[in-house]
Amino acid sequence: MDIKKAKKIISYVVQVTEPRWRKYDECWADIDELIIRRGYEQGGFEFFKLVPLLKKSQIYTIDRLGSVMGNYKSEKKYQRDYAGGLESTFYTDLKQSRYGQVGNAFYLSIEEFLNTKAGKPGSRFWSLLWQMLICTHYLKENYNSSFSNYLRKKFSQYKGTNDVLESYILECSKEGWEDFKLQVKPWNELYGIGENVFDFILGDLKEADGITTASFKLDVNNIYFFQATGIDKLIKEINREEVINFINSLDMKYSLREVNKGIYTYCSLTESYNYGFCRSREKCIICPVSNICEKQIG
């Protein structure tokens, strides 16, 4: 594997998947649900498949989900023996409505998600659910149940003003947004969310080029792609910073986030119906760039 081959592979992958990843656009108007749906789409957990069940129970808002932990006074850190399954103390209490009707509805939604195999829970299912409940409660109590308000307050502090309009954020330049993140680290107060996921939450806002251009989420699909193609051998270390540096060094016509989305689309299991390359030897054979990749299919 060499740089020229790597750039050719990645360029093809991003270009061929463009009709699909162009549809990933999100709207600022939906920002308060994005933090729930995208914020906890981690560790293989198909959170988007839980969303219809939460909607059916009429609890899919920061305000409603944030109310579950209103009476909880103990340790906020996830404890597996306390909240690590439907038979745990916490979920038994939810089932028995000790955390109110919303808590009971949340329990029933999780139970249905698991019993019907509506989606994959992934490796961190129970801890992510706990973190989501803690985070939404924090936003409910401190920012009027609004992630939008949270971002505006943080950006206002960064600018040294009392309050800023949403337009100030949406019109922020790439350099300004990167400096804001560096100085404020706005993910620090969002339980269970780091910079990687923070970028993913905001990375496809169609109204905010400055935010989206440099956004990047290093997920299991991107990591797998680099390993399967052999491109990983050209990257000093497979971590977020080094992968971003490597992609930027290729000087491609696509933005960092567009490369990110293209790779995800090309080899993710979620998009496997139309793409899913690098995931099976049958598809690998018909991949137009398989002749220059190392084909480390796992």
Side-chain angles (χ1 to χ4, degrees), residues 36 59-72 99 102-103 106 131-142 145-146:
I36 303 172
I59 61 172
Y60 185 54
T61 65
I62 293 174
D63 189 66
R64 298 283 279 170
L65 289 170
S67 70
V68 174
M69 305 303 285
N71 295 323
Y72 181 77
Y99 288 90
V102 175
F106 182 71
Q131 290 165 351
M132 179 197 66
L133 292 176
I134 295 293
C135 183
T136 52
H137 177 66
Y138 178 77
L139 292 174
K140 177 180 173 65
E141 292 295 300
N142 297 281
S145 299
S146 174

PDB file of all heavy atoms in Angstrom, residues 36 59-72 99 102-103 106 131-142 145-146:
ATOM      1  N   ILE A  36     -30.059  13.229  21.074  1.00  0.00           N
ATOM      2  CA  ILE A  36     -30.523  11.938  21.582  1.00  0.00           C
ATOM      3  C   ILE A  36     -30.213  10.841  20.558  1.00  0.00           C
ATOM      4  O   ILE A  36     -29.575   9.838  20.884  1.00  0.00           O
ATOM      5  CB  ILE A  36     -32.037  11.964  21.871  1.00  0.00           C
ATOM      6  CG1 ILE A  36     -32.384  13.082  22.854  1.00  0.00           C
ATOM      7  CG2 ILE A  36     -32.499  10.615  22.423  1.00  0.00           C
ATOM      8  CD1 ILE A  36     -33.876  13.287  23.049  1.00  0.00           C
ATOM      9  N   ILE A  59     -42.298   9.781  24.461  1.00  0.00           N
ATOM     10  CA  ILE A  59     -41.274  10.226  25.410  1.00  0.00           C
ATOM     11  C   ILE A  59     -39.979  10.634  24.708  1.00  0.00           C
ATOM     12  O   ILE A  59     -38.951  10.827  25.356  1.00  0.00           O
ATOM     13  CB  ILE A  59     -40.963   9.142  26.470  1.00  0.00           C
ATOM     14  CG1 ILE A  59     -40.437   7.865  25.801  1.00  0.00           C
ATOM     15  CG2 ILE A  59     -42.194   8.836  27.305  1.00  0.00           C
ATOM     16  CD1 ILE A  59     -39.933   6.826  26.800  1.00  0.00           C
ATOM     17  N   TYR A  60     -40.035  10.811  23.391  1.00  0.00           N
ATOM     18  CA  TYR A  60     -38.828  11.093  22.627  1.00  0.00           C
ATOM     19  C   TYR A  60     -38.531  12.593  22.583  1.00  0.00           C
ATOM     20  O   TYR A  60     -38.548  13.236  21.536  1.00  0.00           O
ATOM     21  CB  TYR A  60     -38.956  10.526  21.214  1.00  0.00           C
ATOM     22  CG  TYR A  60     -37.707  10.666  20.369  1.00  0.00           C
ATOM     23  CD1 TYR A  60     -36.482  10.192  20.827  1.00  0.00           C
ATOM     24  CD2 TYR A  60     -37.758  11.272  19.120  1.00  0.00           C
ATOM     25  CE1 TYR A  60     -35.341  10.318  20.058  1.00  0.00           C
ATOM     26  CE2 TYR A  60     -36.619  11.409  18.332  1.00  0.00           C
ATOM     27  CZ  TYR A  60     -35.415  10.925  18.808  1.00  0.00           C
ATOM     28  OH  TYR A  60     -34.280  11.050  18.038  1.00  0.00           O
ATOM     29  N   THR A  61     -38.268  13.174  23.734  1.00  0.00           N
ATOM     30  CA  THR A  61     -37.835  14.571  23.835  1.00  0.00           C
ATOM     31  C   THR A  61     -36.872  14.671  25.009  1.00  0.00           C
ATOM     32  O   THR A  61     -36.872  13.838  25.920  1.00  0.00           O
ATOM     33  CB  THR A  61     -39.014  15.535  24.101  1.00  0.00           C
ATOM     34  OG1 THR A  61     -39.575  15.249  25.391  1.00  0.00           O
ATOM     35  CG2 THR A  61     -40.086  15.416  23.022  1.00  0.00           C
ATOM     36  N   ILE A  62     -36.051  15.709  24.997  1.00  0.00           N
ATOM     37  CA  ILE A  62     -35.154  15.948  26.126  1.00  0.00           C
ATOM     38  C   ILE A  62     -35.964  16.141  27.394  1.00  0.00           C
ATOM     39  O   ILE A  62     -35.618  15.637  28.466  1.00  0.00           O
ATOM     40  CB  ILE A  62     -34.272  17.186  25.869  1.00  0.00           C
ATOM     41  CG1 ILE A  62     -33.304  16.922  24.707  1.00  0.00           C
ATOM     42  CG2 ILE A  62     -33.495  17.577  27.124  1.00  0.00           C
ATOM     43  CD1 ILE A  62     -32.489  18.138  24.293  1.00  0.00           C
ATOM     44  N   ASP A  63     -37.071  16.872  27.273  1.00  0.00           N
ATOM     45  CA  ASP A  63     -37.892  17.172  28.446  1.00  0.00           C
ATOM     46  C   ASP A  63     -38.462  15.905  29.067  1.00  0.00           C
ATOM     47  O   ASP A  63     -38.402  15.736  30.292  1.00  0.00           O
ATOM     48  CB  ASP A  63     -39.031  18.114  28.051  1.00  0.00           C
ATOM     49  CG  ASP A  63     -39.784  18.633  29.268  1.00  0.00           C
ATOM     50  OD1 ASP A  63     -39.171  19.383  30.062  1.00  0.00           O
ATOM     51  OD2 ASP A  63     -40.964  18.284  29.429  1.00  0.00           O
ATOM     52  N   ARG A  64     -38.997  15.017  28.258  1.00  0.00           N
ATOM     53  CA  ARG A  64     -39.619  13.797  28.775  1.00  0.00           C
ATOM     54  C   ARG A  64     -38.573  12.817  29.296  1.00  0.00           C
ATOM     55  O   ARG A  64     -38.684  12.320  30.423  1.00  0.00           O
ATOM     56  CB  ARG A  64     -40.463  13.134  27.684  1.00  0.00           C
ATOM     57  CG  ARG A  64     -41.611  13.976  27.185  1.00  0.00           C
ATOM     58  CD  ARG A  64     -42.777  13.993  28.142  1.00  0.00           C
ATOM     59  NE  ARG A  64     -43.597  12.778  27.993  1.00  0.00           N
ATOM     60  CZ  ARG A  64     -44.584  12.422  28.824  1.00  0.00           C
ATOM     61  NH1 ARG A  64     -44.867  13.182  29.859  1.00  0.00           N
ATOM     62  NH2 ARG A  64     -45.279  11.333  28.619  1.00  0.00           N
ATOM     63  N   LEU A  65     -37.572  12.517  28.487  1.00  0.00           N
ATOM     64  CA  LEU A  65     -36.533  11.588  28.930  1.00  0.00           C
ATOM     65  C   LEU A  65     -35.759  12.162  30.114  1.00  0.00           C
ATOM     66  O   LEU A  65     -35.356  11.435  31.026  1.00  0.00           O
ATOM     67  CB  LEU A  65     -35.583  11.273  27.780  1.00  0.00           C
ATOM     68  CG  LEU A  65     -36.160  10.404  26.657  1.00  0.00           C
ATOM     69  CD1 LEU A  65     -35.218  10.372  25.459  1.00  0.00           C
ATOM     70  CD2 LEU A  65     -36.430   8.981  27.141  1.00  0.00           C
ATOM     71  N   GLY A  66     -35.580  13.482  30.113  1.00  0.00           N
ATOM     72  CA  GLY A  66     -34.856  14.122  31.198  1.00  0.00           C
ATOM     73  C   GLY A  66     -35.589  14.101  32.521  1.00  0.00           C
ATOM     74  O   GLY A  66     -34.989  14.333  33.572  1.00  0.00           O
ATOM     75  N   SER A  67     -36.880  13.825  32.476  1.00  0.00           N
ATOM     76  CA  SER A  67     -37.658  13.784  33.719  1.00  0.00           C
ATOM     77  C   SER A  67     -37.471  12.480  34.485  1.00  0.00           C
ATOM     78  O   SER A  67     -37.773  12.412  35.681  1.00  0.00           O
ATOM     79  CB  SER A  67     -39.147  13.981  33.405  1.00  0.00           C
ATOM     80  OG  SER A  67     -39.678  12.839  32.741  1.00  0.00           O
ATOM     81  N   VAL A  68     -36.976  11.445  33.820  1.00  0.00           N
ATOM     82  CA  VAL A  68     -36.851  10.127  34.461  1.00  0.00           C
ATOM     83  C   VAL A  68     -35.968  10.198  35.702  1.00  0.00           C
ATOM     84  O   VAL A  68     -36.292   9.635  36.755  1.00  0.00           O
ATOM     85  CB  VAL A  68     -36.279   9.088  33.466  1.00  0.00           C
ATOM     86  CG1 VAL A  68     -36.004   7.761  34.178  1.00  0.00           C
ATOM     87  CG2 VAL A  68     -37.245   8.876  32.308  1.00  0.00           C
ATOM     88  N   MET A  69     -34.856  10.929  35.603  1.00  0.00           N
ATOM     89  CA  MET A  69     -33.900  10.961  36.712  1.00  0.00           C
ATOM     90  C   MET A  69     -34.168  12.101  37.699  1.00  0.00           C
ATOM     91  O   MET A  69     -33.329  12.403  38.534  1.00  0.00           O
ATOM     92  CB  MET A  69     -32.476  11.086  36.159  1.00  0.00           C
ATOM     93  CG  MET A  69     -32.106  10.012  35.156  1.00  0.00           C
ATOM     94  SD  MET A  69     -32.273   8.326  35.803  1.00  0.00           S
ATOM     95  CE  MET A  69     -30.854   8.220  36.871  1.00  0.00           C
ATOM     96  N   GLY A  70     -35.339  12.684  37.609  1.00  0.00           N
ATOM     97  CA  GLY A  70     -35.661  13.817  38.474  1.00  0.00           C
ATOM     98  C   GLY A  70     -35.570  13.522  39.952  1.00  0.00           C
ATOM     99  O   GLY A  70     -35.173  14.380  40.747  1.00  0.00           O
ATOM    100  N   ASN A  71     -35.931  12.307  40.354  1.00  0.00           N
ATOM    101  CA  ASN A  71     -35.908  11.943  41.775  1.00  0.00           C
ATOM    102  C   ASN A  71     -34.700  11.095  42.157  1.00  0.00           C
ATOM    103  O   ASN A  71     -34.600  10.631  43.287  1.00  0.00           O
ATOM    104  CB  ASN A  71     -37.188  11.188  42.143  1.00  0.00           C
ATOM    105  CG  ASN A  71     -38.419  12.057  42.013  1.00  0.00           C
ATOM    106  OD1 ASN A  71     -38.378  13.257  42.326  1.00  0.00           O
ATOM    107  ND2 ASN A  71     -39.514  11.490  41.530  1.00  0.00           N
ATOM    108  N   TYR A  72     -33.786  10.912  41.218  1.00  0.00           N
ATOM    109  CA  TYR A  72     -32.606  10.085  41.494  1.00  0.00           C
ATOM    110  C   TYR A  72     -31.553  10.933  42.209  1.00  0.00           C
ATOM    111  O   TYR A  72     -31.150  11.979  41.723  1.00  0.00           O
ATOM    112  CB  TYR A  72     -32.045   9.530  40.185  1.00  0.00           C
ATOM    113  CG  TYR A  72     -30.836   8.644  40.370  1.00  0.00           C
ATOM    114  CD1 TYR A  72     -30.967   7.332  40.826  1.00  0.00           C
ATOM    115  CD2 TYR A  72     -29.555   9.120  40.095  1.00  0.00           C
ATOM    116  CE1 TYR A  72     -29.854   6.519  40.993  1.00  0.00           C
ATOM    117  CE2 TYR A  72     -28.439   8.313  40.260  1.00  0.00           C
ATOM    118  CZ  TYR A  72     -28.601   7.020  40.718  1.00  0.00           C
ATOM    119  OH  TYR A  72     -27.497   6.210  40.895  1.00  0.00           O
ATOM    120  N   TYR A  99     -40.158   5.742  39.039  1.00  0.00           N
ATOM    121  CA  TYR A  99     -39.641   6.945  38.400  1.00  0.00           C
ATOM    122  C   TYR A  99     -40.714   7.561  37.509  1.00  0.00           C
ATOM    123  O   TYR A  99     -40.402   8.227  36.512  1.00  0.00           O
ATOM    124  CB  TYR A  99     -38.378   6.619  37.597  1.00  0.00           C
ATOM    125  CG  TYR A  99     -37.176   6.328  38.470  1.00  0.00           C
ATOM    126  CD1 TYR A  99     -36.906   5.037  38.896  1.00  0.00           C
ATOM    127  CD2 TYR A  99     -36.328   7.354  38.885  1.00  0.00           C
ATOM    128  CE1 TYR A  99     -35.819   4.766  39.706  1.00  0.00           C
ATOM    129  CE2 TYR A  99     -35.234   7.095  39.700  1.00  0.00           C
ATOM    130  CZ  TYR A  99     -34.985   5.793  40.109  1.00  0.00           C
ATOM    131  OH  TYR A  99     -33.898   5.523  40.917  1.00  0.00           O
ATOM    132  N   VAL A 102     -43.234   8.247  32.821  1.00  0.00           N
ATOM    133  CA  VAL A 102     -42.233   8.294  31.755  1.00  0.00           C
ATOM    134  C   VAL A 102     -41.187   7.200  31.971  1.00  0.00           C
ATOM    135  O   VAL A 102     -40.754   6.537  31.020  1.00  0.00           O
ATOM    136  CB  VAL A 102     -41.547   9.676  31.685  1.00  0.00           C
ATOM    137  CG1 VAL A 102     -40.427   9.665  30.651  1.00  0.00           C
ATOM    138  CG2 VAL A 102     -42.566  10.756  31.343  1.00  0.00           C
ATOM    139  N   GLY A 103     -40.808   6.990  33.220  1.00  0.00           N
ATOM    140  CA  GLY A 103     -39.864   5.922  33.535  1.00  0.00           C
ATOM    141  C   GLY A 103     -40.414   4.564  33.154  1.00  0.00           C
ATOM    142  O   GLY A 103     -39.702   3.717  32.596  1.00  0.00           O
ATOM    143  N   PHE A 106     -40.374   4.252  29.423  1.00  0.00           N
ATOM    144  CA  PHE A 106     -39.007   4.005  28.957  1.00  0.00           C
ATOM    145  C   PHE A 106     -38.654   2.528  29.117  1.00  0.00           C
ATOM    146  O   PHE A 106     -38.099   1.906  28.203  1.00  0.00           O
ATOM    147  CB  PHE A 106     -38.024   4.873  29.741  1.00  0.00           C
ATOM    148  CG  PHE A 106     -36.595   4.731  29.295  1.00  0.00           C
ATOM    149  CD1 PHE A 106     -36.186   5.248  28.079  1.00  0.00           C
ATOM    150  CD2 PHE A 106     -35.661   4.086  30.095  1.00  0.00           C
ATOM    151  CE1 PHE A 106     -34.862   5.121  27.655  1.00  0.00           C
ATOM    152  CE2 PHE A 106     -34.348   3.945  29.682  1.00  0.00           C
ATOM    153  CZ  PHE A 106     -33.944   4.470  28.463  1.00  0.00           C
ATOM    154  N   GLN A 131     -26.325   6.907  30.399  1.00  0.00           N
ATOM    155  CA  GLN A 131     -25.707   8.197  30.109  1.00  0.00           C
ATOM    156  C   GLN A 131     -26.687   9.146  29.427  1.00  0.00           C
ATOM    157  O   GLN A 131     -26.695  10.345  29.707  1.00  0.00           O
ATOM    158  CB  GLN A 131     -24.470   7.979  29.230  1.00  0.00           C
ATOM    159  CG  GLN A 131     -23.332   7.311  29.982  1.00  0.00           C
ATOM    160  CD  GLN A 131     -22.258   6.756  29.068  1.00  0.00           C
ATOM    161  OE1 GLN A 131     -22.413   6.720  27.848  1.00  0.00           O
ATOM    162  NE2 GLN A 131     -21.166   6.298  29.659  1.00  0.00           N
ATOM    163  N   MET A 132     -27.535   8.605  28.562  1.00  0.00           N
ATOM    164  CA  MET A 132     -28.529   9.434  27.883  1.00  0.00           C
ATOM    165  C   MET A 132     -29.520  10.020  28.888  1.00  0.00           C
ATOM    166  O   MET A 132     -29.885  11.201  28.817  1.00  0.00           O
ATOM    167  CB  MET A 132     -29.285   8.620  26.840  1.00  0.00           C
ATOM    168  CG  MET A 132     -30.350   9.427  26.102  1.00  0.00           C
ATOM    169  SD  MET A 132     -31.540   8.388  25.247  1.00  0.00           S
ATOM    170  CE  MET A 132     -32.344   7.580  26.626  1.00  0.00           C
ATOM    171  N   LEU A 133     -29.946   9.209  29.838  1.00  0.00           N
ATOM    172  CA  LEU A 133     -30.899   9.686  30.847  1.00  0.00           C
ATOM    173  C   LEU A 133     -30.272  10.767  31.728  1.00  0.00           C
ATOM    174  O   LEU A 133     -30.925  11.756  32.071  1.00  0.00           O
ATOM    175  CB  LEU A 133     -31.391   8.517  31.706  1.00  0.00           C
ATOM    176  CG  LEU A 133     -32.266   7.478  31.003  1.00  0.00           C
ATOM    177  CD1 LEU A 133     -32.600   6.331  31.953  1.00  0.00           C
ATOM    178  CD2 LEU A 133     -33.555   8.109  30.460  1.00  0.00           C
ATOM    179  N   ILE A 134     -29.014  10.580  32.085  1.00  0.00           N
ATOM    180  CA  ILE A 134     -28.308  11.583  32.890  1.00  0.00           C
ATOM    181  C   ILE A 134     -28.129  12.880  32.099  1.00  0.00           C
ATOM    182  O   ILE A 134     -28.351  13.983  32.605  1.00  0.00           O
ATOM    183  CB  ILE A 134     -26.934  11.055  33.345  1.00  0.00           C
ATOM    184  CG1 ILE A 134     -27.086   9.854  34.295  1.00  0.00           C
ATOM    185  CG2 ILE A 134     -26.131  12.164  34.009  1.00  0.00           C
ATOM    186  CD1 ILE A 134     -27.699  10.178  35.630  1.00  0.00           C
ATOM    187  N   CYS A 135     -27.733  12.749  30.836  1.00  0.00           N
ATOM    188  CA  CYS A 135     -27.481  13.929  29.998  1.00  0.00           C
ATOM    189  C   CYS A 135     -28.763  14.718  29.745  1.00  0.00           C
ATOM    190  O   CYS A 135     -28.772  15.952  29.862  1.00  0.00           O
ATOM    191  CB  CYS A 135     -26.856  13.497  28.676  1.00  0.00           C
ATOM    192  SG  CYS A 135     -26.426  14.868  27.586  1.00  0.00           S
ATOM    193  N   THR A 136     -29.839  14.035  29.389  1.00  0.00           N
ATOM    194  CA  THR A 136     -31.097  14.741  29.124  1.00  0.00           C
ATOM    195  C   THR A 136     -31.625  15.403  30.398  1.00  0.00           C
ATOM    196  O   THR A 136     -32.202  16.485  30.341  1.00  0.00           O
ATOM    197  CB  THR A 136     -32.160  13.795  28.538  1.00  0.00           C
ATOM    198  OG1 THR A 136     -32.300  12.629  29.373  1.00  0.00           O
ATOM    199  CG2 THR A 136     -31.790  13.349  27.126  1.00  0.00           C
ATOM    200  N   HIS A 137     -31.407  14.768  31.541  1.00  0.00           N
ATOM    201  CA  HIS A 137     -31.823  15.384  32.815  1.00  0.00           C
ATOM    202  C   HIS A 137     -31.025  16.662  33.066  1.00  0.00           C
ATOM    203  O   HIS A 137     -31.584  17.684  33.498  1.00  0.00           O
ATOM    204  CB  HIS A 137     -31.615  14.407  33.966  1.00  0.00           C
ATOM    205  CG  HIS A 137     -31.942  14.991  35.308  1.00  0.00           C
ATOM    206  ND1 HIS A 137     -33.217  15.361  35.672  1.00  0.00           N
ATOM    207  CD2 HIS A 137     -31.150  15.300  36.364  1.00  0.00           C
ATOM    208  CE1 HIS A 137     -33.209  15.857  36.894  1.00  0.00           C
ATOM    209  NE2 HIS A 137     -31.963  15.841  37.336  1.00  0.00           N
ATOM    210  N   TYR A 138     -29.732  16.623  32.775  1.00  0.00           N
ATOM    211  CA  TYR A 138     -28.885  17.797  32.955  1.00  0.00           C
ATOM    212  C   TYR A 138     -29.355  18.949  32.064  1.00  0.00           C
ATOM    213  O   TYR A 138     -29.437  20.105  32.514  1.00  0.00           O
ATOM    214  CB  TYR A 138     -27.437  17.435  32.630  1.00  0.00           C
ATOM    215  CG  TYR A 138     -26.478  18.595  32.728  1.00  0.00           C
ATOM    216  CD1 TYR A 138     -26.034  19.051  33.965  1.00  0.00           C
ATOM    217  CD2 TYR A 138     -26.025  19.243  31.582  1.00  0.00           C
ATOM    218  CE1 TYR A 138     -25.163  20.125  34.064  1.00  0.00           C
ATOM    219  CE2 TYR A 138     -25.156  20.314  31.667  1.00  0.00           C
ATOM    220  CZ  TYR A 138     -24.732  20.751  32.904  1.00  0.00           C
ATOM    221  OH  TYR A 138     -23.864  21.823  33.007  1.00  0.00           O
ATOM    222  N   LEU A 139     -29.677  18.642  30.817  1.00  0.00           N
ATOM    223  CA  LEU A 139     -30.165  19.672  29.899  1.00  0.00           C
ATOM    224  C   LEU A 139     -31.540  20.189  30.320  1.00  0.00           C
ATOM    225  O   LEU A 139     -31.827  21.380  30.179  1.00  0.00           O
ATOM    226  CB  LEU A 139     -30.227  19.120  28.473  1.00  0.00           C
ATOM    227  CG  LEU A 139     -28.878  18.807  27.816  1.00  0.00           C
ATOM    228  CD1 LEU A 139     -29.090  18.127  26.469  1.00  0.00           C
ATOM    229  CD2 LEU A 139     -28.043  20.074  27.642  1.00  0.00           C
ATOM    230  N   LYS A 140     -32.351  19.320  30.842  1.00  0.00           N
ATOM    231  CA  LYS A 140     -33.691  19.725  31.312  1.00  0.00           C
ATOM    232  C   LYS A 140     -33.568  20.686  32.500  1.00  0.00           C
ATOM    233  O   LYS A 140     -34.243  21.722  32.538  1.00  0.00           O
ATOM    234  CB  LYS A 140     -34.497  18.489  31.733  1.00  0.00           C
ATOM    235  CG  LYS A 140     -35.877  18.797  32.319  1.00  0.00           C
ATOM    236  CD  LYS A 140     -36.599  17.503  32.721  1.00  0.00           C
ATOM    237  CE  LYS A 140     -37.905  17.795  33.453  1.00  0.00           C
ATOM    238  NZ  LYS A 140     -38.892  18.480  32.593  1.00  0.00           N
ATOM    239  N   GLU A 141     -32.707  20.339  33.430  1.00  0.00           N
ATOM    240  CA  GLU A 141     -32.587  21.127  34.652  1.00  0.00           C
ATOM    241  C   GLU A 141     -31.841  22.451  34.451  1.00  0.00           C
ATOM    242  O   GLU A 141     -32.125  23.429  35.142  1.00  0.00           O
ATOM    243  CB  GLU A 141     -31.856  20.299  35.726  1.00  0.00           C
ATOM    244  CG  GLU A 141     -32.646  19.099  36.226  1.00  0.00           C
ATOM    245  CD  GLU A 141     -33.895  19.514  36.965  1.00  0.00           C
ATOM    246  OE1 GLU A 141     -33.775  20.229  37.986  1.00  0.00           O
ATOM    247  OE2 GLU A 141     -35.006  19.147  36.518  1.00  0.00           O
ATOM    248  N   ASN A 142     -30.894  22.465  33.524  1.00  0.00           N
ATOM    249  CA  ASN A 142     -30.011  23.634  33.409  1.00  0.00           C
ATOM    250  C   ASN A 142     -30.168  24.457  32.131  1.00  0.00           C
ATOM    251  O   ASN A 142     -29.745  25.615  32.096  1.00  0.00           O
ATOM    252  CB  ASN A 142     -28.554  23.176  33.524  1.00  0.00           C
ATOM    253  CG  ASN A 142     -28.247  22.558  34.870  1.00  0.00           C
ATOM    254  OD1 ASN A 142     -28.052  23.246  35.857  1.00  0.00           O
ATOM    255  ND2 ASN A 142     -28.207  21.225  34.912  1.00  0.00           N
ATOM    256  N   SER A 145     -34.391  22.168  28.841  1.00  0.00           N
ATOM    257  CA  SER A 145     -34.631  20.989  28.000  1.00  0.00           C
ATOM    258  C   SER A 145     -34.253  21.233  26.545  1.00  0.00           C
ATOM    259  O   SER A 145     -34.921  20.764  25.627  1.00  0.00           O
ATOM    260  CB  SER A 145     -36.103  20.547  28.082  1.00  0.00           C
ATOM    261  OG  SER A 145     -36.456  20.197  29.403  1.00  0.00           O
ATOM    262  N   SER A 146     -33.160  21.955  26.347  1.00  0.00           N
ATOM    263  CA  SER A 146     -32.794  22.328  24.985  1.00  0.00           C
ATOM    264  C   SER A 146     -31.289  22.244  24.752  1.00  0.00           C
ATOM    265  O   SER A 146     -30.510  22.956  25.399  1.00  0.00           O
ATOM    266  CB  SER A 146     -33.285  23.749  24.679  1.00  0.00           C
ATOM    267  OG  SER A 146     -32.822  24.180  23.418  1.00  0.00           O
TER     268      SER A 146
END
